[in-house]
Structure formats: C-alpha cells, structure tokens
C-alpha cells in the first residue's frame, strides 16, 4: 500500500492532530478510517468524504481541520489504533494522498522506547 506510516504518541486527556498527506484543496474528498487493532478487520469510517459519521462512538470529539487533518479531543485509551486518511479525485482514490498513522496512547508520565 502507498503512504508513509507515522507514529504519534499522545497522553490520555490531550488533544491530537493527525495530518493527511498532500491534502487536496477540498476536504469533501477526504475519508478517515480507523482500525482498532493493527491488522484486524474491524474498520470504522470516522469521516466519509468530508462528513462526520454520527454513528461512531467518538464522533463528538472529532473534527476535520481546514487542511483535512483529523482532530481528536480528550484522547482516551480507546482511541489507540491505526488511522488512514484517503482522498478521492472524481471518485477515484488518490493514493499518493494516503496517510497511515499509528496512534499510541500513553498512560503515566514517562515512556522509554528501546531500539
């Protein structure tokens, strides 16, 4: 798949801004998809072609930025997962615009990553 995997680390209770790559001029072409576990099949469409999905349990905390980014307020551990931004041009997916973001929600004050 195209797009670059980004990792975003955020603490519970904070707000996060997930950027969409190469945002097109019109966010009506933008779809944000959420996958609660990396690689599982449970996929939720949070934003479909610029319109917020009111059935999503977190919809009241979501907004679409002017640059088509996804803003999530008051992060909880349930927001952890894989977010994909997709953009469409004339109903065709514009794959160069895909953004793949792993959102990691931190608990506590300090996290050390060994590599």
């Amino acid at each position: 798949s195209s797009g670059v995997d980004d990792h975003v680390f955020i603490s519970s209770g904070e707000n996060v801004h997930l950027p969409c790559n190469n945002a097109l001029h019109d966010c009506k072409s933008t779809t944000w998809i959420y996958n609660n576990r990396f690689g599982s099949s449970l996929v939720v469409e949070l934003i479909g072609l610029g319109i917020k999905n009111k059935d999503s349990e977190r919809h009241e905390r979501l907004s679409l930025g002017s640059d088509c980014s996804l803003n999530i307020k008051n992060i909880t551990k349930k927001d952890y997962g894989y977010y994909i931004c997709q953009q469409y041009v004339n109903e065709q997916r514009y794959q160069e615009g895909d953004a793949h973001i792993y959102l990691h929600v931190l608990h506590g004050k300090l996290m050390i990553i060994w590599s």
Side-chain angles (χ1 to χ4, degrees):
S1 67
S2 64
V4 176
D5 285 351
D6 276 331
H7 290 265
V8 173
F9 296 86
I10 190 89
S11 295
S12 296
E14 293 186 16
N15 300 337
V16 72
H17 171 92
L18 304 179
C20 192
N21 294 342
N22 299 328
L24 302 171
H25 65 283
D26 183 0
C27 293
K28 291 189 181 93
S29 64
T30 301
T31 293
W32 275 96
I33 294 168
Y34 167 74
N35 188 329
N36 74 330
R37 301 251 189 286
F38 303 155
S40 90
S41 58
L42 179 61
V43 171
V44 178
E45 187 175 88
L46 301 174
I47 309 265
L49 298 177
I51 299 169
K52 199 159 44 164
N53 176 0
K54 296 277 197 282
D55 294 336
S56 140
E57 65 183 40
R58 62 176 68 86
H59 81 271
E60 291 170 2
R61 298 187 292 113
L62 299 179
S63 62
L64 202 57
S66 58
D67 59 354
C68 308
S69 58
L70 182 66
N71 299 310
I72 311 172
K73 286 192 255 182
N74 192 19
I75 288 289
T76 73
K77 61 180 188 258
K78 289 184 180 174
D79 294 316
Y80 156 89
Y82 190 43
Y83 292 78
I84 303 169
C85 177
Q86 297 174 338
Q87 296 185 305
Y88 294 81
V89 178
N90 299 326
E91 299 181 14
Q92 297 292 313
R93 195 152 136 228
Y94 176 69
Q95 292 196 316
E96 290 78 20
D98 281 9
H100 300 242
I101 301 169
Y102 293 94
L103 182 66
H104 303 268
V105 179
L106 310 180
H107 311 286
K109 300 287 183 213
L110 179 65
M111 183 169 145
I112 299 172
I113 301 171
W114 302 100
S115 55

